[in-house]
Amino acid sequence: MVVTKINRPSDALLAGFDGLGVATVHEAQGRKGLLASNMRPIYRPIHMAGSAVTCEVAPGDNWMIHVAVEQCQAGDVLIVAPTSECEGGYFGDLLATSLVARGVKGLVIDAGVRDVAVITEMGFPVWSKAVFAEGTVKETLGNVNTPIVCAGAEIHPGDVIVGDDDGVVVVSRAEAESVLAACRAREANEEEKRQRLASGELGLDMYSMRERLKAKGLKYVDSLDSN
Amino acid sequence: MVVTKINRPSDALLAGFDGLGVATVHEAQGRKGLLASNMRPIYRPIHMAGSAVTCEVAPGDNWMIHVAVEQCQAGDVLIVAPTSECEGGYFGDLLATSLVARGVKGLVIDAGVRDVAVITEMGFPVWSKAVFAEGTVKETLGNVNTPIVCAGAEIHPGDVIVGDDDGVVVVSRAEAESVLAACRAREANEEEKRQRLASGELGLDMYSMRERLKAKGLKYVDSLDSN
Amino acid sequence: MVVTKINRPSDALLAGFDGLGVATVHEAQGRKGLLASNMRPIYRPIHMAGSAVTCEVAPGDNWMIHVAVEQCQAGDVLIVAPTSECEGGYFGDLLATSLVARGVKGLVIDAGVRDVAVITEMGFPVWSKAVFAEGTVKETLGNVNTPIVCAGAEIHPGDVIVGDDDGVVVVSRAEAESVLAACRAREANEEEKRQRLASGELGLDMYSMRERLKAKGLKYVDSLDSN
Amino acid sequence: MVVTKINRPSDALLAGFDGLGVATVHEAQGRKGLLASNMRPIYRPIHMAGSAVTCEVAPGDNWMIHVAVEQCQAGDVLIVAPTSECEGGYFGDLLATSLVARGVKGLVIDAGVRDVAVITEMGFPVWSKAVFAEGTVKETLGNVNTPIVCAGAEIHPGDVIVGDDDGVVVVSRAEAESVLAACRAREANEEEKRQRLASGELGLDMYSMRERLKAKGLKYVDSLDSN
Amino acid sequence: MVVTKINRPSDALLAGFDGLGVATVHEAQGRKGLLASNMRPIYRPIHMAGSAVTCEVAPGDNWMIHVAVEQCQAGDVLIVAPTSECEGGYFGDLLATSLVARGVKGLVIDAGVRDVAVITEMGFPVWSKAVFAEGTVKETLGNVNTPIVCAGAEIHPGDVIVGDDDGVVVVSRAEAESVLAACRAREANEEEKRQRLASGELGLDMYSMRERLKAKGLKYVDSLDSN
Amino acid sequence: MVVTKINRPSDALLAGFDGLGVATVHEAQGRKGLLASNMRPIYRPIHMAGSAVTCEVAPGDNWMIHVAVEQCQAGDVLIVAPTSECEGGYFGDLLATSLVARGVKGLVIDAGVRDVAVITEMGFPVWSKAVFAEGTVKETLGNVNTPIVCAGAEIHPGDVIVGDDDGVVVVSRAEAESVLAACRAREANEEEKRQRLASGELGLDMYSMRERLKAKGLKYVDSLDSN
């Protein structure tokens, strides 16, 4: 099944996520939404923020990605998840060319990709769990723009996807506005902390940790023998 | 056992594979010949094409690699596979120096390598399943230039080996000429497709997929609720 | 427990390890001391030598890293090991900033790190088993400067830690002086070998292997059929 | 957050899933709902069907499991997923005793369990990704009876969970009735097939595959040489 | 392509391998032929010896297994390898029933199987790399009775396959007779050793290792301090 | 090097650990000492307690195990760790026979074992990270009864080793007496808890968790909508 009409976040909202770090977004929304740590970028440094178009594929079969391309528009990120564990090379430079032509911001795929030298030259952002040239077939139908689980995270069409060198995080469309505000607050706060730490202030003091550590029973000894 | 006389593809044939992508070769020969996806290059971008010299080694023992070096000549690629799973550092910058001196094009090893900073500076292409400094011994004999299974692929001495950022593929010597022709046809064909996709044409139309998708039962709906 | 007074190698001794390769150190001390091969650097090329400050943490809890920072001084390397397998993002750019402010040479962590784009820009050396943005908590006490097992290697506070593109190796403080001498001898020796190999001499001859190979029964045949 | 009122499938509906195989349920609902293949039972043979109570925990922290126990009632299955990859031993024989006392049918946990000898003797069904004795702490809050992703599958409280030697599958509560009907149809159908196959009839004939194979181009040759 | 006429070892030869251990066969043929260690039996104890029928399948597609069944006869072992890494559930109790009806001795598959509770009850020997219920499709052709690489080992139709609790080993048909003789010699020899060891004799003495250990430099010390 | 005189715990002390669970010992000594979770028993149920004899081996080389056997006496457990990652089959039924003849309690090996069907019949306890028939050589020296790191845990000769279905734990000889006392206290305590939980009392009440959960901010809601 292909769902053709999905709600997307506004361009202004998406633009707000440009340049935000994955760790920042993850923390700002209460430590949730991360895709599994094996979703690695094919080049570094890398950054992407966009609106999810989801695509569920059969193992070793990339037919539905061709179907999904048509559903993508400028500002989207294509999210691909196979129904069964697979590291085949679902995606190469031709599909990347097609997505770039449509203004798509990047690809996140819980499987393999190929032609990574060319895609790296193109500067098209891709996160995958494998780089592998194994070809795929075009035999089995799947779904486009239905809710899916990709790399352990639930993703709905129109969710905000942010990716960087650390990996990928999803923000539900309903919460995107408030999460963006929380990200900005966090970033401002971190900049101040960064300067204090750079000047030599300790986190123990800056975060007022000493008392709680002591209450928990932390002991300081000169040496193990003096224990 | 060391086999000293092997048949190699002609220089002209090998030259034809220069610059060809692993995915292209894999597809052109009917989707076969890929080594496992954990064979990763130590730097990127990377490319290599050459004629296989095979080397079977004991786990944690790189003695036979020294034996194999003597069997290598300009245009060869050294293929090393341990008889049992091992990620020890069989190969470092001294062996790389020796292979470069003989005109060898690269190394593919289903084990570990070390000194990768130096080998990267040298620009000597290496694919391995691990980077690990663990030393090896020189105690146990193995084979040079016998047929071996390396990273799940069967490789005969004199087979054509192509490696790039996507991994490594083997082409049997007997089929190398026809595979090369198929690669060239495929490349020409892909260039044309690339231009059409870049201009916005959809794969769905370019590959005439719509009818077959419909026949398989693909349905388009406005939304999940309207389903 | 936090041990506040530890013995460190002298600055001169540490300086001696600057620029030495991990493989060289590993070989020079009799092929021991390597951390597991999944401890990978977050950027390349990379190098670090310093004195170990150890930090044992609970899974998903980076509280003790903040405690450990205060115990670090110029020339130290922070070694972090969780008590149970964990790939959470214990360490980010703020902690890196704090360590840089104290003159720390690098971080080795048998877990995950985040903000790797920023830490890469900072040029702060980090080896970890994962890059993952998952946040950690600050609830559970651990130990600083007690002996720990990190990535399969036993590390005592004040041990010498060397890291490069190949991984990480530990040298016990007691043996550091003699290991350094052995490293230098090895390096000199290797430079001479490198030149001989580069000029085309074979390892078989340079290492006088032919006789022992023959004694072990190595056979040369023209072809498999002639066997 | 703990959600105290959830909708469960009827006892009659749950009873219908008793004894049904995971593969049957997976196929009957259109090949979806499987948890990842690393969710293995602690003993065999094993079977379980029940209604999901979900529990999200912090890495290395089993506090919320104690909270979840109170929300469990007879016929439930407890589903536990950590917010970050962890294989600590969250669950042992005391918690198993508590769940048995409440009539709970089993446990599915995307982490580790311990005391498996005792739990095996008790005959309490458990699927986990690790058996590991590592202790956990009780410091961090999580959620009970919110939708979660466990081992790659989305699970809502009140969904039907079926587990057997093959693994675990989830059926959404809304679809449970129709899936059960489809399972029964499938089972009846399979029994007839089993008898025909046991009597020597070929799947090629029983499923009328020969024509389609021929149309796809399948060729029969006497030998590779005769090809 | 399906090759219909293959050479098989004689029934008498196959019978000779009945009950032989995988380790014995592996050693007797010079430490080769083992399939990868992730090929595990679905139940224990287990044993099988038979003649290989090979089957190459597409990832997530078990169509060719149905084709292969027809090529199997009494005494055969079905060997299945996907062209790309896949752990889908290619094989269940219906296919097992069909193979049993034809007198097939067992299945070795570098992928997943399902219905393992039933197949265990049937006592049909299966080695696989995963137990997983994920369904497969029937869309893509492959090969039957061509040479394949399965779990890292090259297997030709008609090779002898032996499996037990330790895993699976292949013996080439051409060498099967001499390997069988070597196995018998080895077994007789081991029985005598077993009795000597059981009576308390040390391997150091029985294998006359002491002198060679001393020559290599083995030192005995009372304690580390006395070193 | 082989250390011939090591201090062992008394027979009475070792006897005290008979039947104690690994989880109990791990908790009683402050949540430390566990070997990695991939150290799995070759059969279940299983239990072992004994005094460590350590053996460091080269990858793929079991020579030193033969040396270590002579150093073993009744009540010992043999601990084997390769200097580099290896899953070869270092240990089979002949070595098991030899250890049984000396009264050894079991084997813990961070590598592979073979002949597991026979060793299972013998009832000789073994924990390993792989079952694999791959043969090993006898070429390289190692150490017996020196401190080693095995599966991530530091083990000294004469330490107490306990293994069961959950895995393996090490107790330092110096702490063995106090840890044993703590184990007994823990066991008595757990028995009482088990009965209270079996009678339906909740852990929330038995452990007085409700107040602290509330203080941390745990909220109960009727449903997600009522949140």
Side-chain angles (χ1 to χ4, degrees), chain D residues 2 4-5 42 70 87 93 114-116 120 134-136 138-139, chain F residues 26-27 31 34-35 37 44 166 194 204 210 212 216 219 221-222 227:
Chain D
V2 182
T4 55
K5 293 204 164 66
I42 61 167
E70 189 179 29
E87 60 175 19
D93 66 327
R114 61 187 194 179
D115 303 325
V116 295
T120 297
E134 181 82 35
T136 51
K138 290 169 182 61
E139 298 284 357
Chain F
H26 164 66
E27 291 283 346
R31 289 191 184 151
L34 283 181
L35 276 66
S37 65
R44 289 181 51 203
D166 287 351
R194 189 173 292 109
L204 286 178
R210 294 188 191 274
R212 194 164 155 254
K216 280 265 185 176
K219 284 178 194 157
V221 299
D222 274 7
N227 181 26

mmCIF file of all heavy atoms in Angstrom, chain D residues 2 4-5 42 70 87 93 114-116 120 134-136 138-139, chain F residues 26-27 31 34-35 37 44 166 194 204 210 212 216 219 221-222 227:
data_model
loop_
_atom_site.group_PDB
_atom_site.id
_atom_site.type_symbol
_atom_site.label_atom_id
_atom_site.label_comp_id
_atom_site.label_asym_id
_atom_site.label_seq_id
_atom_site.Cartn_x
_atom_site.Cartn_y
_atom_site.Cartn_z
ATOM 1 N N VAL D 2 3.168 5.438 34.595
ATOM 2 C CA VAL D 2 2.537 4.113 34.637
ATOM 3 C C VAL D 2 1.075 4.253 34.242
ATOM 4 O O VAL D 2 0.336 5.004 34.888
ATOM 5 C CB VAL D 2 2.607 3.506 36.060
ATOM 6 C CG1 VAL D 2 1.995 2.110 36.071
ATOM 7 C CG2 VAL D 2 4.048 3.488 36.558
ATOM 8 N N THR D 4 -2.437 2.676 34.194
ATOM 9 C CA THR D 4 -3.018 1.608 35.029
ATOM 10 C C THR D 4 -4.211 0.900 34.398
ATOM 11 O O THR D 4 -4.541 -0.213 34.778
ATOM 12 C CB THR D 4 -3.469 2.189 36.388
ATOM 13 O OG1 THR D 4 -4.363 3.284 36.141
ATOM 14 C CG2 THR D 4 -2.257 2.692 37.176
ATOM 15 N N LYS D 5 -4.860 1.575 33.459
ATOM 16 C CA LYS D 5 -6.042 0.941 32.842
ATOM 17 C C LYS D 5 -5.748 0.691 31.371
ATOM 18 O O LYS D 5 -5.648 1.626 30.586
ATOM 19 C CB LYS D 5 -7.265 1.849 32.983
ATOM 20 C CG LYS D 5 -7.730 2.029 34.395
ATOM 21 C CD LYS D 5 -9.214 2.422 34.438
ATOM 22 C CE LYS D 5 -9.818 2.239 35.817
ATOM 23 N NZ LYS D 5 -9.235 3.163 36.838
ATOM 24 N N ILE D 42 14.750 -19.546 26.959
ATOM 25 C CA ILE D 42 15.774 -20.082 27.859
ATOM 26 C C ILE D 42 15.681 -21.599 27.978
ATOM 27 O O ILE D 42 16.593 -22.224 28.501
ATOM 28 C CB ILE D 42 15.737 -19.437 29.258
ATOM 29 C CG1 ILE D 42 14.391 -19.694 29.947
ATOM 30 C CG2 ILE D 42 16.016 -17.943 29.165
ATOM 31 C CD1 ILE D 42 14.437 -19.354 31.436
ATOM 32 N N GLU D 70 3.114 -5.048 39.479
ATOM 33 C CA GLU D 70 1.818 -4.713 40.079
ATOM 34 C C GLU D 70 0.731 -4.510 39.020
ATOM 35 O O GLU D 70 -0.460 -4.682 39.303
ATOM 36 C CB GLU D 70 1.960 -3.445 40.929
ATOM 37 C CG GLU D 70 0.731 -3.140 41.759
ATOM 38 C CD GLU D 70 0.905 -1.891 42.625
ATOM 39 O OE1 GLU D 70 1.675 -0.980 42.234
ATOM 40 O OE2 GLU D 70 0.287 -1.811 43.689
ATOM 41 N N GLU D 87 22.736 -5.830 27.965
ATOM 42 C CA GLU D 87 22.512 -7.260 28.169
ATOM 43 C C GLU D 87 22.620 -7.650 29.648
ATOM 44 O O GLU D 87 22.798 -8.823 29.961
ATOM 45 C CB GLU D 87 23.473 -8.102 27.324
ATOM 46 C CG GLU D 87 24.919 -7.870 27.608
ATOM 47 C CD GLU D 87 25.814 -8.817 26.828
ATOM 48 O OE1 GLU D 87 25.369 -9.410 25.818
ATOM 49 O OE2 GLU D 87 26.963 -8.983 27.237
ATOM 50 N N ASP D 93 15.101 -15.300 39.432
ATOM 51 C CA ASP D 93 14.060 -16.214 39.913
ATOM 52 C C ASP D 93 13.082 -15.540 40.884
ATOM 53 O O ASP D 93 11.928 -15.961 40.960
ATOM 54 C CB ASP D 93 14.693 -17.461 40.537
ATOM 55 C CG ASP D 93 15.464 -17.166 41.802
ATOM 56 O OD1 ASP D 93 16.049 -16.069 41.897
ATOM 57 O OD2 ASP D 93 15.473 -18.015 42.696
ATOM 58 N N ARG D 114 18.862 -13.880 34.364
ATOM 59 C CA ARG D 114 19.751 -14.759 35.132
ATOM 60 C C ARG D 114 18.924 -15.744 35.953
ATOM 61 O O ARG D 114 17.708 -15.693 35.905
ATOM 62 C CB ARG D 114 20.677 -13.918 36.015
ATOM 63 C CG ARG D 114 19.966 -13.053 37.044
ATOM 64 C CD ARG D 114 20.999 -12.150 37.715
ATOM 65 N NE ARG D 114 20.482 -11.520 38.913
ATOM 66 C CZ ARG D 114 21.187 -10.703 39.686
ATOM 67 N NH1 ARG D 114 22.438 -10.429 39.387
ATOM 68 N NH2 ARG D 114 20.663 -10.157 40.771
ATOM 69 N N ASP D 115 19.613 -16.608 36.676
ATOM 70 C CA ASP D 115 18.943 -17.682 37.424
ATOM 71 C C ASP D 115 18.177 -18.584 36.464
ATOM 72 O O ASP D 115 17.105 -19.104 36.802
ATOM 73 C CB ASP D 115 17.966 -17.125 38.481
ATOM 74 C CG ASP D 115 18.636 -16.182 39.476
ATOM 75 O OD1 ASP D 115 19.808 -16.413 39.828
ATOM 76 O OD2 ASP D 115 17.982 -15.204 39.888
ATOM 77 N N VAL D 116 18.698 -18.798 35.277
ATOM 78 C CA VAL D 116 17.916 -19.539 34.282
ATOM 79 C C VAL D 116 17.756 -21.006 34.649
ATOM 80 O O VAL D 116 16.793 -21.649 34.213
ATOM 81 C CB VAL D 116 18.495 -19.403 32.849
ATOM 82 C CG1 VAL D 116 18.411 -17.967 32.364
ATOM 83 C CG2 VAL D 116 19.891 -19.957 32.750
ATOM 84 N N THR D 120 14.044 -22.313 34.639
ATOM 85 C CA THR D 120 13.756 -23.471 33.799
ATOM 86 C C THR D 120 13.028 -24.550 34.597
ATOM 87 O O THR D 120 12.033 -25.124 34.131
ATOM 88 C CB THR D 120 15.069 -24.026 33.203
ATOM 89 O OG1 THR D 120 15.655 -23.031 32.362
ATOM 90 C CG2 THR D 120 14.822 -25.295 32.396
ATOM 91 N N GLU D 134 24.940 -10.375 35.379
ATOM 92 C CA GLU D 134 25.272 -9.000 35.778
ATOM 93 C C GLU D 134 24.100 -8.320 36.476
ATOM 94 O O GLU D 134 23.010 -8.187 35.922
ATOM 95 C CB GLU D 134 25.672 -8.192 34.540
ATOM 96 C CG GLU D 134 26.064 -6.749 34.828
ATOM 97 C CD GLU D 134 27.521 -6.600 35.300
ATOM 98 O OE1 GLU D 134 28.389 -7.351 34.829
ATOM 99 O OE2 GLU D 134 27.773 -5.743 36.151
ATOM 100 N N GLY D 135 24.354 -7.819 37.681
ATOM 101 C CA GLY D 135 23.317 -7.170 38.470
ATOM 102 C C GLY D 135 22.906 -5.818 37.926
ATOM 103 O O GLY D 135 23.656 -5.165 37.204
ATOM 104 N N THR D 136 21.712 -5.398 38.262
ATOM 105 C CA THR D 136 21.196 -4.096 37.828
ATOM 106 C C THR D 136 20.915 -3.238 39.062
ATOM 107 O O THR D 136 20.877 -3.736 40.184
ATOM 108 C CB THR D 136 19.901 -4.266 37.014
ATOM 109 O OG1 THR D 136 19.013 -5.097 37.764
ATOM 110 C CG2 THR D 136 20.187 -4.893 35.668
ATOM 111 N N LYS D 138 18.572 0.246 40.832
ATOM 112 C CA LYS D 138 17.188 0.734 40.936
ATOM 113 C C LYS D 138 17.247 2.231 41.170
ATOM 114 O O LYS D 138 17.103 2.704 42.292
ATOM 115 C CB LYS D 138 16.464 0.005 42.083
ATOM 116 C CG LYS D 138 16.194 -1.468 41.772
ATOM 117 C CD LYS D 138 15.734 -2.269 42.973
ATOM 118 C CE LYS D 138 15.545 -3.728 42.583
ATOM 119 N NZ LYS D 138 16.795 -4.383 42.091
ATOM 120 N N GLU D 139 17.494 2.980 40.103
ATOM 121 C CA GLU D 139 17.721 4.412 40.226
ATOM 122 C C GLU D 139 16.875 5.263 39.288
ATOM 123 O O GLU D 139 16.593 6.413 39.578
ATOM 124 C CB GLU D 139 19.208 4.748 39.918
ATOM 125 C CG GLU D 139 20.216 4.122 40.851
ATOM 126 C CD GLU D 139 20.278 4.808 42.212
ATOM 127 O OE1 GLU D 139 19.579 5.813 42.397
ATOM 128 O OE2 GLU D 139 21.002 4.306 43.095
ATOM 129 N N HIS F 26 28.199 -13.249 42.399
ATOM 130 C CA HIS F 26 28.439 -11.927 41.792
ATOM 131 C C HIS F 26 27.876 -10.814 42.675
ATOM 132 O O HIS F 26 28.535 -9.799 42.938
ATOM 133 C CB HIS F 26 27.807 -11.925 40.406
ATOM 134 C CG HIS F 26 27.609 -10.585 39.781
ATOM 135 N ND1 HIS F 26 28.656 -9.779 39.406
ATOM 136 C CD2 HIS F 26 26.481 -9.909 39.454
ATOM 137 C CE1 HIS F 26 28.179 -8.665 38.870
ATOM 138 N NE2 HIS F 26 26.869 -8.718 38.896
ATOM 139 N N GLU F 27 26.652 -10.985 43.134
ATOM 140 C CA GLU F 27 26.035 -9.962 43.982
ATOM 141 C C GLU F 27 26.727 -9.886 45.341
ATOM 142 O O GLU F 27 26.974 -8.795 45.866
ATOM 143 C CB GLU F 27 24.541 -10.270 44.180
ATOM 144 C CG GLU F 27 23.688 -10.106 42.931
ATOM 145 C CD GLU F 27 23.389 -8.637 42.603
ATOM 146 O OE1 GLU F 27 23.609 -7.768 43.460
ATOM 147 O OE2 GLU F 27 22.962 -8.364 41.461
ATOM 148 N N ARG F 31 28.901 -7.099 43.014
ATOM 149 C CA ARG F 31 28.681 -7.002 41.566
ATOM 150 C C ARG F 31 29.970 -6.888 40.771
ATOM 151 O O ARG F 31 30.139 -5.953 39.979
ATOM 152 C CB ARG F 31 27.779 -5.820 41.243
ATOM 153 C CG ARG F 31 26.385 -6.075 41.687
ATOM 154 C CD ARG F 31 25.407 -5.063 41.164
ATOM 155 N NE ARG F 31 24.100 -5.353 41.730
ATOM 156 C CZ ARG F 31 23.158 -4.467 41.955
ATOM 157 N NH1 ARG F 31 23.369 -3.226 41.620
ATOM 158 N NH2 ARG F 31 22.022 -4.844 42.465
ATOM 159 N N LEU F 34 32.332 -11.122 37.004
ATOM 160 C CA LEU F 34 31.702 -11.933 35.952
ATOM 161 C C LEU F 34 32.579 -12.008 34.707
ATOM 162 O O LEU F 34 33.138 -11.009 34.272
ATOM 163 C CB LEU F 34 30.366 -11.327 35.537
ATOM 164 C CG LEU F 34 29.192 -11.550 36.478
ATOM 165 C CD1 LEU F 34 27.955 -10.890 35.889
ATOM 166 C CD2 LEU F 34 28.951 -13.031 36.697
ATOM 167 N N LEU F 35 32.653 -13.192 34.111
ATOM 168 C CA LEU F 35 33.230 -13.306 32.781
ATOM 169 C C LEU F 35 32.171 -12.881 31.760
ATOM 170 O O LEU F 35 30.982 -12.844 32.075
ATOM 171 C CB LEU F 35 33.700 -14.741 32.520
ATOM 172 C CG LEU F 35 35.115 -15.033 33.076
ATOM 173 C CD1 LEU F 35 35.135 -14.978 34.588
ATOM 174 C CD2 LEU F 35 35.618 -16.377 32.574
ATOM 175 N N SER F 37 29.418 -12.437 28.798
ATOM 176 C CA SER F 37 28.196 -13.225 28.632
ATOM 177 C C SER F 37 28.285 -14.239 27.499
ATOM 178 O O SER F 37 27.417 -15.089 27.375
ATOM 179 C CB SER F 37 27.002 -12.297 28.395
ATOM 180 O OG SER F 37 27.161 -11.614 27.170
ATOM 181 N N ARG F 44 23.249 -28.144 29.910
ATOM 182 C CA ARG F 44 22.498 -27.589 31.023
ATOM 183 C C ARG F 44 21.578 -28.661 31.597
ATOM 184 O O ARG F 44 21.015 -29.439 30.824
ATOM 185 C CB ARG F 44 21.637 -26.407 30.564
ATOM 186 C CG ARG F 44 22.402 -25.159 30.210
ATOM 187 C CD ARG F 44 21.436 -24.047 29.805
ATOM 188 N NE ARG F 44 20.400 -23.873 30.806
ATOM 189 C CZ ARG F 44 19.202 -23.325 30.579
ATOM 190 N NH1 ARG F 44 18.911 -22.882 29.378
ATOM 191 N NH2 ARG F 44 18.304 -23.236 31.535
ATOM 192 N N ASP F 166 24.103 -19.722 34.207
ATOM 193 C CA ASP F 166 24.156 -18.294 33.918
ATOM 194 C C ASP F 166 25.513 -17.834 33.389
ATOM 195 O O ASP F 166 25.629 -16.730 32.859
ATOM 196 C CB ASP F 166 23.861 -17.475 35.187
ATOM 197 C CG ASP F 166 22.388 -17.523 35.591
ATOM 198 O OD1 ASP F 166 21.575 -18.037 34.807
ATOM 199 O OD2 ASP F 166 22.061 -17.061 36.692
ATOM 200 N N ARG F 194 11.553 -15.206 48.592
ATOM 201 C CA ARG F 194 10.888 -16.052 47.598
ATOM 202 C C ARG F 194 9.509 -16.494 48.101
ATOM 203 O O ARG F 194 8.531 -16.466 47.375
ATOM 204 C CB ARG F 194 11.775 -17.263 47.292
ATOM 205 C CG ARG F 194 11.293 -18.093 46.111
ATOM 206 C CD ARG F 194 12.293 -19.185 45.731
ATOM 207 N NE ARG F 194 13.518 -18.628 45.185
ATOM 208 C CZ ARG F 194 14.708 -18.614 45.775
ATOM 209 N NH1 ARG F 194 14.861 -19.172 46.969
ATOM 210 N NH2 ARG F 194 15.751 -18.055 45.198
ATOM 211 N N LEU F 204 7.286 -4.168 45.351
ATOM 212 C CA LEU F 204 7.095 -2.752 45.680
ATOM 213 C C LEU F 204 6.916 -2.547 47.175
ATOM 214 O O LEU F 204 7.417 -1.572 47.751
ATOM 215 C CB LEU F 204 5.859 -2.197 44.958
ATOM 216 C CG LEU F 204 5.992 -1.952 43.459
ATOM 217 C CD1 LEU F 204 4.668 -1.442 42.894
ATOM 218 C CD2 LEU F 204 7.105 -0.948 43.180
ATOM 219 N N ARG F 210 7.803 2.216 47.200
ATOM 220 C CA ARG F 210 6.797 3.168 46.734
ATOM 221 C C ARG F 210 7.170 4.621 47.031
ATOM 222 O O ARG F 210 6.990 5.503 46.190
ATOM 223 C CB ARG F 210 5.441 2.848 47.364
ATOM 224 C CG ARG F 210 4.873 1.511 46.891
ATOM 225 C CD ARG F 210 3.429 1.309 47.385
ATOM 226 N NE ARG F 210 2.982 -0.062 47.170
ATOM 227 C CZ ARG F 210 2.436 -0.506 46.030
ATOM 228 N NH1 ARG F 210 2.283 0.310 45.013
ATOM 229 N NH2 ARG F 210 2.047 -1.762 45.914
ATOM 230 N N ARG F 212 10.137 6.042 47.497
ATOM 231 C CA ARG F 212 11.262 6.557 46.710
ATOM 232 C C ARG F 212 10.849 6.766 45.243
ATOM 233 O O ARG F 212 11.278 7.724 44.594
ATOM 234 C CB ARG F 212 12.444 5.583 46.808
ATOM 235 C CG ARG F 212 13.734 6.197 46.312
ATOM 236 C CD ARG F 212 14.970 5.425 46.751
ATOM 237 N NE ARG F 212 16.047 5.676 45.795
ATOM 238 C CZ ARG F 212 16.470 4.784 44.882
ATOM 239 N NH1 ARG F 212 15.931 3.573 44.821
ATOM 240 N NH2 ARG F 212 17.433 5.123 44.038
ATOM 241 N N LYS F 216 10.941 10.304 43.271
ATOM 242 C CA LYS F 216 11.614 10.477 41.970
ATOM 243 C C LYS F 216 10.658 11.046 40.922
ATOM 244 O O LYS F 216 11.067 11.429 39.832
ATOM 245 C CB LYS F 216 12.140 9.133 41.459
ATOM 246 C CG LYS F 216 13.442 8.688 42.092
ATOM 247 C CD LYS F 216 14.652 9.100 41.238
ATOM 248 C CE LYS F 216 15.928 8.531 41.824
ATOM 249 N NZ LYS F 216 17.102 8.805 40.992
ATOM 250 N N LYS F 219 4.579 8.830 38.092
ATOM 251 C CA LYS F 219 3.168 9.203 38.038
ATOM 252 C C LYS F 219 2.323 8.048 37.539
ATOM 253 O O LYS F 219 2.723 7.344 36.608
ATOM 254 C CB LYS F 219 2.971 10.389 37.093
ATOM 255 C CG LYS F 219 3.400 11.699 37.688
ATOM 256 C CD LYS F 219 3.215 12.828 36.688
ATOM 257 C CE LYS F 219 3.974 14.061 37.174
ATOM 258 N NZ LYS F 219 4.289 14.978 36.071
ATOM 259 N N VAL F 221 -1.283 7.152 35.789
ATOM 260 C CA VAL F 221 -2.428 7.731 35.067
ATOM 261 C C VAL F 221 -3.330 6.589 34.625
ATOM 262 O O VAL F 221 -2.891 5.465 34.452
ATOM 263 C CB VAL F 221 -1.977 8.530 33.819
ATOM 264 C CG1 VAL F 221 -1.085 9.692 34.227
ATOM 265 C CG2 VAL F 221 -1.285 7.631 32.817
ATOM 266 N N ASP F 222 -4.606 6.930 34.465
ATOM 267 C CA ASP F 222 -5.548 5.908 34.024
ATOM 268 C C ASP F 222 -5.212 5.441 32.613
ATOM 269 O O ASP F 222 -5.205 4.252 32.313
ATOM 270 C CB ASP F 222 -6.975 6.462 34.046
ATOM 271 C CG ASP F 222 -7.590 6.308 35.417
ATOM 272 O OD1 ASP F 222 -6.857 5.904 36.353
ATOM 273 O OD2 ASP F 222 -8.776 6.602 35.555
ATOM 274 N N ASN F 227 -3.554 11.580 30.522
ATOM 275 C CA ASN F 227 -2.267 12.127 30.999
ATOM 276 C C ASN F 227 -2.268 13.647 30.982
ATOM 277 O O ASN F 227 -2.342 14.245 29.929
ATOM 278 C CB ASN F 227 -1.140 11.605 30.099
ATOM 279 C CG ASN F 227 0.202 12.100 30.552
ATOM 280 O OD1 ASN F 227 0.383 12.396 31.733
ATOM 281 N ND2 ASN F 227 1.129 12.196 29.628
#
